[in-house]
Amino acid sequence: QVQLVESGGGLVQAGGSLRLSCAASGRTVSTYTMGWFRQAPGKERELVAAISKSGLGTYYADAVKGRFTISRDNAKNTVFLQMNTLKPEDIAVYYCAARSGNVLWASYDYWGQGTQVTVSS
């Protein structure tokens, strides 16, 4: 079983950038497909980005394409989400998640505790 801890959230002005990190422990992250989800107040949790075990395959939600980049450093057991050109509609709690299977947009098995991202207009 893997444990996930997110960091890097905070308050940023619209147009600014943040880089979220997800540190894994317990098992090597290279054995998991990894995803970043977010949940805004009053809304359902949604998949924002995902990356395959090798890092060669990625998925992005339409709302973040061209602005967010997911990456992984398997040697450091860490996954990242670089968020650029942030908008007020990006305000949410962001969660890191892992799944054993290979499909990027299927259900995920393990979750971090979340990190808050707030964008001021």
Side-chain angles (χ1 to χ4, degrees):
Q1 197 168 11
V2 66
Q3 290 80 47
L4 305 171
V5 178
E6 304 95 335
S7 62
L11 173 64
V12 64
Q13 287 188 332
S17 298
L18 283 175
R19 188 192 196 202
L20 305 183
S21 298
C22 173
S25 61
R27 287 193 66 180
T28 177
V29 74
S30 62
T31 62
Y32 294 98
T33 296
M34 300 297 295
W36 283 97
F37 288 74
R38 68 185 180 186
Q39 187 165 21
K43 295 187 177 181
E44 293 187 354
R45 187 163 54 189
E46 62 174 346
L47 178 62
V48 173
I51 189 166
S52 64
K53 297 174 184 179
S54 67
L56 295 178
T58 57
Y59 162 86
Y60 294 96
D62 287 343
V64 306
K65 280 180 181 176
R67 299 189 298 122
F68 291 11
T69 303
I70 189 171
S71 61
R72 64 192 302 158
D73 186 337
N74 287 340
K76 295 184 177 179
N77 242 20
T78 304
V79 179
F80 305 97
L81 185 67
Q82 178 67 43
M83 305 186 295
N84 297 330
T85 319
L86 282 161
K87 305 175 181 180
E89 48 263 47
D90 295 318
I91 293 173
V93 177
Y94 284 72
Y95 298 90
C96 176
R99 68 182 310 270
S100 301
N102 294 321
V103 178
L104 302 183
W105 47 84
S107 61
Y108 280 67
D109 305 307
Y110 306 101
W111 296 84
Q113 82 290 348
T115 185
Q116 177 71 47
V117 171
T118 302
V119 183
S120 63
S121 56

